[in-house]
Every structure is written in structure tokens, then in C-alpha cells.
Amino acid sequence: MISKNLINSKIWIPPVAAFFFGIANVNGQEAKKDTLREKEIDEVVVVAYGKAKKTSYTGSVATISSEKINNRPVTNITKALEGQVPGLQAVSSSGQPGSTASIRIRGIGSVSASSNPLFVVDGMPFDGNINSISPNDIESISVLKDATASSLYGSRGANGVIIVTTKSGKKGEARVNFNISQGFSSRAVKDYDQVNTDQYFQLYWEALRNGYKSSQVSSQQAAQMATDNLVNALGINPYGLNYAKPVGTDGRLLSGATPLWNDDWRDILQRVASRNQVDLDFSGGNEKSNYFFSLGYLDDKGIAIGSGFRKYSSRLKINSEVKKWLNVGANLAYTNSLQEAPPSSDSRTDNIINAARVIPSFYPYYERNADGSYKLDAGGNYIYDFGKYRPTSALQNQNAAATLPLDKNENREDNFSGKGFAEFIFLPELKFRTNFSVDLLNYNGHYYTNPLLGEGSEIGGSVTKTNSRTLSYTTSNILTYDKKFGQHHLNVLGGQEFYHYEYQTISGNRSQFSLPYYYEPDAAALLGSFSGNSDQLGLLSYLGKAEYDYQNKYFVSGSVRADGSSRFSPENRWGTFWSVGGSWKASNEDFIRKLNFFNQLTLRASYGGQGNDKLSTYYAYQSLYAFFNNLGEGGTVASKLPTPDLKWETNLNLNVGLEFAILNNRIKGNVEYFQRKSQDLLFDMPLAPSLGFSGFQANIGELKNTGFEFSLFTTPIKTKDFEWNVDLNLSTLNNKITKLPKGSIVSGTKLLQVGGSIYDFFIPEWAGVDPSNGNPLWKTITTDANGNTVEATTSEYAKATKTLQGSSLPKVMGGLTTSLAYKNFDFSTLVTFSIGGKILDTDYTMIMHNGSAAGRAWSSEMLNRWTPENPYTDVPALSTTTNNWTSASSRFLYSGTYARVKNMSLGYTLPTEYFERWGVKKFRLYVQGENLLTFYKHKGMDPEQTLDGTTYYRYPAMRTITFGLQATL
């Protein structure tokens, strides 16, 4: 049976399609008319300084509901945004519990200035740590993407705005919500495969032999030398005394030689971690007031030993109509957190993630006897092996499994956020609202290395303590006039805002503890460094907006904001930013209605400009000085050149969109095109070191981001007992530099040039391995005497020619969400994906050495190294002589394309009659997984990396399985 509306429209729907979209009979019954309610289609979204109906709003805004956030097992809400909104790129570069994802909205808007979006919590800009906000406190998240949507925030919203709205109490009976969950975490991506002990010893024998061979040493002599010196070179013999020389002169293990142990360091330095979370909230309200109070506890252990995140949170939100002409409200939140974070994000030797990877399994973590048995202390306990015999490349004198439990790597934070407002209603149409918001963040870092074991024992242990205090407050005064005149509707807003930010920090360290297990600086004898500083900035703004619509069909809007920033000189302090927009709700036109096809059809367009002042320094225009100790006398040295002409970076944003809904609102969608131009880029111009300054800040160049965004929301089946929803969003991105002050700028492995992107790799091109001798080859490009381009190869990395090798930025990214509900069962899954872009895997190169890093682990790919019997390969010959083959080149540049099952949830809500006698309104049991599966090509690498596409020994993403229950009283 086909819908009456479809018959009247004279549009034929094939029976298969009709069944797919729930129009045909389901289980032999006629599907109910299930047109979604008007308020679901014309949903109200939170926008700058207010709310708006989505279908009539002239700006680009996307909303994430609480159902997609509340139950995600994430410690930071930024990690719940990936794949949820087209045009939003969220990259979780670290799996360390409590870490924040990097977020970009519609591309990269700046080179040297910040490209981070502005977070707004309950209408006021937020400067606290975003991980202080509990996901269970969130009602919705709105992402403002174009100028019309975010221009009222001026320069603070130049890179987009993310508005977080927390829950409020609702009119009616008081409610109590309780949520408890227990989870377990492990690596989301298996680490790189490595060779085993037998393979390693034979490979390293080969490296030694090749290193010994020369015009004075024959192959036979070199083979004998390799056999004689192998154990000494690696510092250990895991085969026992019966095999003093385990590899013969033929390069093979002696018959019967078997490793006496196999200690995979990933087993002792990493673990299956626990995750515990409890949330409790009370809410209620009446005709004149409402309240919401929540308490939360989270203990999220990391997969690396000694890592984790523990948080206690609370929130109190009260709104009240004190008088008919006066509404007031307060929103207070406090969070106390402890992050245990051993080094896990660079190449330092104590990086816990790197240590688990680079020490081969033939180096034991407990001391062994020659027969392979454990050495025991006087108490019969195992003795940690610190590997004093290990080569430097195998982390000599280190054992993180022994030292981390004795050390401290703690980051403590107290985060207070307070908001208050008073709204005066002069007339039904005229309201004045004054707001005040304060964010206070107190941070204490405590880093202690014990004096008993490890590197700290050489200096008697050390301790560093850092304390910082960040205070910011924002005040705003907004006057709003909203009036309907027949078929006309006018909304006008005007106001003023002031923002103040101040930062203070102090840090010092000491060493030489006289007693163990004392962690504070007072217990150490030798004073080291001591430092401290403070900074502050201010932003004064005036803003206005006007919106007009006619017959609920035609909408126009305009806004303007003037910002004065203390970062710039008085002559360039003020910037004026603006936007204009319009939309046409075509579905309200009679000729569209008569088609009986579109339930919703809206066209919109906007254009506007915003500024960016977010440089790394708060004193961008001033000359700065550094102070030094010169034999007890103070010295002053210029550290920064003055730049009084520095001015605002400007973003010009164009947005054109189409929103539609058809088939009784069973299919809804949105298509948008955006163009984002950044001009007068704030850029750190490099200078020759001989000039005494590393560079200076200037306005140079232009940058452009363009792309399409597409979102589709469908309900293929909806009956009384069963509902199936499928949502898809994707976006494209093209980033291009359109103007630079000179031809090109090289920055590390990237090249900035007109026509390229901001993250174009500029590295030598790998040319393979010379089949005649096994040397690595890179391309060279030169010009001969006649001006002709000549391509050749070289085995010397320093002579290789750097060329463009693609960008790290993906071409397409998005997410696919499926949700099913059958009676009391519910199921949902989110798959995120990224297509295109490249990643330079410098983690992998650590275990791809040619043999010059004695004792360091080897990738199993080294089994395919060059030999006379295997001349055609892309892994060079082994040798103890460095050949630089793991230096940055296209050899280690991999595709960034991947897909990840980001979240999957299965729940069951018990029938209410089981619990009504105890006043329980809802009781739901659920199990869910985060980062369950990852599909990618380059095994071992976590493809979810930083935006610039370069890995850096980071903490991998975690796969978390969580079991929980929710109850509502």
C-alpha cells in the first residue's frame, strides 16, 4: 500500500524502494503514518547569543544531540565529535586518558596563528579545560561553521564555534538519573610486527659480516668475525652456555639452539586497563523555576603502565523567574582531576610507548642466570634487569617497569566555571540580558624520578614542580527586540562584551634526595632552576545583529562586531567584522506545496569576514627582552623584534546551502558549499640565526579552503515496534595557499608555496634499492649545461633532491551512523572514515634501521632486506655502517585512508512494570565499544594522527569495551 500523499503527487515509487523506506506493508500490516512532528523537522538550535529554528536560520549550524554523546566512554568530549558533523575534523592524536582531540572546522584557517575553534558553554565563551565537562551533563552541541553563524563572536569565533549546552531541569516531577559503567581498554591497533629472537640474531650476524667486509677483509674472515663477536655486540646470549657462538659462519643458527626466554616488553609495559564511571543527577522544576544538580566520578586507566585519568565533577544549574519582568540564573561547575601521564609523545628515551617497542624480546625484564632461570634476591623476589650490558640503542640502564611505579608524572587540575545572568523584560518584545562568566583553572605538575633505580639513581633522584593559574572572565550586556507585525518578523540584537585573560606560572626543580619515597622538593638537597612569569590580555567588543523574515518564507540577516585586541598596537588594535545572510523556505510556497513531495525545502547563503589575533605571544607588536645570569649579575638580551604594523588576520567566509526533507520526512538532507579565504596571514617569518633572532611576526600571504558538505538522515523502516535510522555525513576539503611574500618557504618536512596546501610534504623521493649492491637510492634532479632537466639517483641522502610528495590533508572525511530499536532493545553504531592524505611514519623508522642501531628491535619487514639472492627489494642491505636510509623520504610516506568502527552500542530497557513499585521509571542495561575495529593498509600504525601527518611516538588509541546500567527515578 502506497502513501496517499505519494499517489496524489503522481510520482511513482518502485515497490522495492517503497518497502525500503517503510511505505509498504511491514509484517503484513499497513505502516502507520509517521510523519515526524513539525518541531522535530523545524528543530530549535542553539546559536550565538540565543536560539533559532534550523530551517529558517540563514547560517550553517549542525547539532549533536545528547543521545550521541552521553554514553560514549570518552574522557574528553572532543573525542566524541569525530564523524558526527560534516566539515568538522577531529583527530585524536593521543590515546592518553584525559587528552584532547585536535579540531578543525572547514579546514586550516591560519599558518602561525591558532586554528582552534571557540568553545562556548551555556552561552558564554569557555576557557577551562574541555575535559572538565562531563558528557553526561550535555544536552546538545551546536557547531557554527560559517560567518553568519559565528560572526557575533568576532575574532574569537574566526575558526568556528562549538556551543555546548548543558542540561536543565524540566517542569514536572523531580527526577533522579543514575548511570554506572565498568569498562576495559586495550590497544585499538596492534603494534608493528617484529622479528623473533632467532631471526634477529641471524640478521644482526649478517649486518656485522657486511660491516666487517672490506678490501682487507675477505668474506670468509668477515663471517668468522661476525660469529665471534655477535654475542659481545648485542651484550647477551639468550641461547645459554652450550651455544656460546649461536650463529655459525654460514649465518645460520646452530642446530638445537633455542632461546631460553622470550620477554616481550609490550607485555610488561602495557596492559588491559580498567575504566570506571559513575554519574548521578537530580533535576526538576515548576512554572517559574528549574534546577539541575549532577555529580560524577571517572577513573580511566591507560594501557601504558603508570598512566590514567581520574576526575571528580559537579554542576549546579538554577534558573528562576523572580518577577514577571526578571529572570535570573546561575550555572556553577567544579572539577578536580588527576592525570598520570608518563612521557609518551616524543623520541626521548623514557617514552613509555617507544620503550615497549624498541627493546627486543631477547633482553629480559628480570635478571636471568646463564641457564635461563630467574635470579632472585634475598627475599626470593625477581630482580629487575636494567640492561647495563645492552647497547645504547636498546635503552641501556633503563627498565620502565621497575622505575615508573616509583616515579611520579602527575598533572593535577582544579577547574571552576561560574556563570550567571539576569534578564530584564521591559516589554514582551524588548529584553535586556546581562551575563557574567568566569573560568579559573589551577594546574599543578609534579614530576619525580626516584633515587633508587634507573637513570635517577645517578643523581640521587630529582623533582620538578610546576604551578600555573589561569583566570578569565567575560561580561556581556545584550539588548534584544523581537516583534511580529502581521506577516513580518523582526529580531534586533545589540550589545557589548569584555573579555579578560591572565596567566601566571612558576616552576622549579631540585635533585639529590637523601632518603627514598620522599617526593617533595624540600626533601632534595641541590637546587636547580627556578622560573616564573605572568601574562594577560584583553578584548573589548561591540556587536549588533538584525534578522527579518516575511511570511515565514524569506529571511535576511546581518551582523557586525568590532573587536579591540591588546595584542596589537593602538594604531591597529581595532578590527570590524561582519556578515550578511539570507534564506528562502521554498517549501512554504504554494507551488511547492502543490507538488506534495517536499516536506521541507530551504535555500540559504551567507558571506562575512572575521578576524584572528591568536598568536603565540600576548604582546605581538612589542619588542621583548630575556633576562640572563652573567656571573651573578643580571643581563638583558633582546628576544623579539617589535612589529608595530602587525594587524588582524582576516577570514572571509562564503556559504551556500540547500536543506530538504521528503517522503513524510523519512529522508532529510543538507548540501552546502563553502569557501573560506584567509588574508593578511599572521606568520612567523624566519631569519638567519646570525642576525640574533629566529624570526619575526608579520602579515603575509593568503590561504583558501573550499569544499562541499553533505548530510543525509533517513528512516527506512518505522513501525510500532521497530525503527531503523541511517545517517550519513561527509565533507570534502581543498586547502590552497594563494599568496606568499616570496616564492616558497621550507618548514621542516613541509613546503609552503603558492598553489600548494599548508601541509604539503617536501622530502626526497625514494628510488628503491640498488640491485647490484643493496644500497638505498633516492632521486636527484639537476639541470645540465643546456638547461635540460636530468633525473638520476644517489645513495647519499644529503645529495637527494627534495620534491613535493602530496599533502597530509584528507580529500573526503565523514561518518556513517546506524541505529535500530526493536521493542525494548536498541542498537547503534558509528563508523568514521577518512579518504586521501598521507602520513609520514617516523615511528616505524625507529625499527627499520639497517643494523647501525645495535640491539634495537627490528620490523619483520627487514626479513625482505637485500641479499645477493634477493636483489629486487625495497629494503637495503644490512650493515653496521649508517646509510641514512630511514631519513624522511617518500619510502615512509603512507596513505592516510582508513575507516574505524568508532562506537557500537547495544542496550535493553527492562519493562517498567518490573520496577514501578520502587518508583523506577526506566532501567536500561547496555554494552558498548569504542574504537572497536580499524581498517587501514599500513599495519602497526594508528592512522588517526595529527593534522600535519607526521607520527611522533605517540600514545595509541584505545579500544574500550564498557558494560553499564542507567536508571531513572
Side-chain angles (χ1 to χ4, degrees), residues 38-39 41-47 50-59 61 484 489 547 552 555 583 585 600 602 604 659:
E38 178 65 22
K39 69 176 184 179
I41 290 299
D42 204 2
E43 63 178 308
V44 174
V45 294
V46 179
V47 296
K51 297 181 179 180
K53 290 185 177 181
K54 189 174 187 298
T55 57
S56 57
Y57 189 57
T58 59
V61 57
K484 288 186 177 181
H489 177 220
E547 296 178 335
N552 196 31
F555 304 82
S583 65
K585 192 181 287 187
Q600 171 63 35
T602 301
R604 63 170 57 93
E659 187 173 353

Side-chain angles (χ1 to χ4, degrees), residues 558-575:
S559 67
V560 63
R561 175 163 168 151
D563 284 341
S565 172
S566 63
R567 295 181 191 261
F568 302 120
S569 66
E571 293 78 15
N572 295 313
R573 182 152 293 165
W574 286 90

Side-chain angles (χ1 to χ4, degrees), residues 717-948:
I717 298 175
K718 185 174 183 181
T719 68
K720 178 182 177 181
D721 294 328
F722 182 69
E723 182 174 342
W724 176 28
N725 296 297
V726 180
D727 302 338
L728 170 68
N729 76 80
L730 56 86
S731 56
T732 67
L733 176 64
N734 181 32
N735 176 272
K736 183 179 293 187
I737 298 171
T738 56
K739 183 180 178 181
L740 282 177
K742 59 180 184 178
S744 61
I745 299 173
V746 177
S747 177
T749 59
K750 307 297 188 302
L751 175 70
L752 303 178
Q753 67 173 5
V754 173
S757 83
I758 193 174
Y759 291 141
D760 281 347
F761 285 103
F762 187 62
I763 52 180
E765 183 177 350
W766 174 251
V769 173
D770 189 333
S772 64
N773 56 24
N775 288 336
L777 296 175
W778 298 272
K779 276 191 177 182
T780 61
I781 302 175
T782 57
T783 304
D784 63 16
N786 298 321
N788 299 317
T789 299
V790 179
E791 292 190 4
T793 60
T794 179
S795 59
E796 296 182 45
Y797 181 79
K799 294 181 180 180
T801 304
K802 293 183 178 180
T803 57
L804 290 170
Q805 298 293 334
S807 171
S808 69
L809 297 175
K811 295 297 183 182
V812 180
M813 54 191 172
L816 175 66
T817 303
T818 298
S819 62
L820 301 168
Y822 176 69
K823 293 186 177 180
N824 290 352
F825 288 94
D826 61 87
F827 172 81
S828 67
T829 183
L830 168 65
V831 178
T832 61
F833 56 86
S834 179
I835 302 173
K838 295 184 177 181
I839 299 175
L840 183 63
D841 192 356
T842 59
D843 291 10
Y844 192 43
T845 58
M846 179 68 74
I847 58 173
M848 288 289 284
H849 60 97
N850 69 318
S852 57
R856 183 183 298 165
W858 253 326
S859 163
S860 58
E861 190 177 353
M862 298 304 296
L863 296 172
N864 192 36
R865 81 286 181 199
W866 179 94
T867 64
E869 298 75 31
N870 184 39
Y872 302 104
T873 178
D874 61 351
V875 180
L878 301 181
S879 175
T880 53
T881 302
T882 301
N883 60 8
N884 295 314
W885 95 280
T886 56
S887 300
S889 76
S890 61
R891 171 62 172 78
F892 300 102
L893 203 60
Y894 299 93
S895 170
T897 297
Y898 76 94
R900 173 167 274 169
V901 181
K902 197 69 178 176
N903 182 264
M904 185 177 291
S905 175
L906 175 64
Y908 178 72
T909 302
L910 276 70
T912 56
E913 55 266 24
Y914 292 173
F915 303 98
E916 282 182 335
R917 70 184 68 177
W918 296 294
V920 178
K921 297 180 176 63
K922 179 181 179 181
F923 193 92
R924 177 176 178 264
L925 302 172
Y926 65 89
V927 58
Q928 63 178 325
E930 192 81 3
N931 296 323
L932 282 179
L933 296 171
T934 306
F935 304 94
Y936 62 116
K937 186 175 181 179
H938 178 42
K939 301 300 182 182
M941 181 187 75
D942 189 336
E944 194 173 348
Q945 297 289 340
T946 52
L947 294 162
D948 68 357

Side-chain angles (χ1 to χ4, degrees), residues 155 168 176 223 257 291 386 499 564 577 590 680 715 824 855 876 934 936 944:
S155 60
S168 299
V176 179
Y291 66 90
F386 282 83
Y499 168 69
F577 313 108
D590 289 340
D680 296 324
T715 305
N824 290 352
T934 306
Y936 62 116
E944 194 173 348

Side-chain angles (χ1 to χ4, degrees), residues 112-114 567-568 613-624 639-647 649 680-687 693-700:
S112 297
S114 172
R567 295 181 191 261
F568 302 120
D613 67 339
K614 297 179 182 63
L615 282 164
S616 57
T617 175
Y618 301 137
Y619 309 99
Y621 68 97
Q622 296 179 344
S623 57
L624 300 179
S639 62
K640 177 185 174 298
L641 291 171
T643 53
D645 295 330
L646 201 67
K647 60 182 181 180
E649 178 178 290
D680 296 324
L681 291 174
L682 293 169
F683 188 77
D684 293 326
M685 286 290 293
L687 289 174
F693 298 92
S694 60
F696 66 96
Q697 292 165 331
N699 294 101
I700 64 154

Side-chain angles (χ1 to χ4, degrees), residues 396-415:
Q396 188 180 71
N397 296 327
Q398 292 190 53
N399 190 323
T403 57
L404 270 182
L406 301 176
D407 297 342
K408 283 186 178 294
N409 297 278
E410 297 180 346
N411 302 311
R412 294 181 181 271
E413 285 188 350
D414 292 286
N415 203 140

Side-chain angles (χ1 to χ4, degrees), residues 89-100:
Q89 184 179 12
V91 178
S92 301
S93 56
S94 174
Q96 164 68 47
S99 62
T100 302

Side-chain angles (χ1 to χ4, degrees), residues 31 74-75 126 211 287 323 328 345 355 363 395 417 432 447 485 508 592 609 707 751 916 942:
V74 294
T75 57
F126 180 73
E287 296 292 341
K323 300 289 184 181
V328 297
S345 61
Y363 292 119
L395 304 186
S417 179
F432 175 76
Y447 310 103
F485 307 90
I592 297 292
L751 175 70
E916 282 182 335
D942 189 336

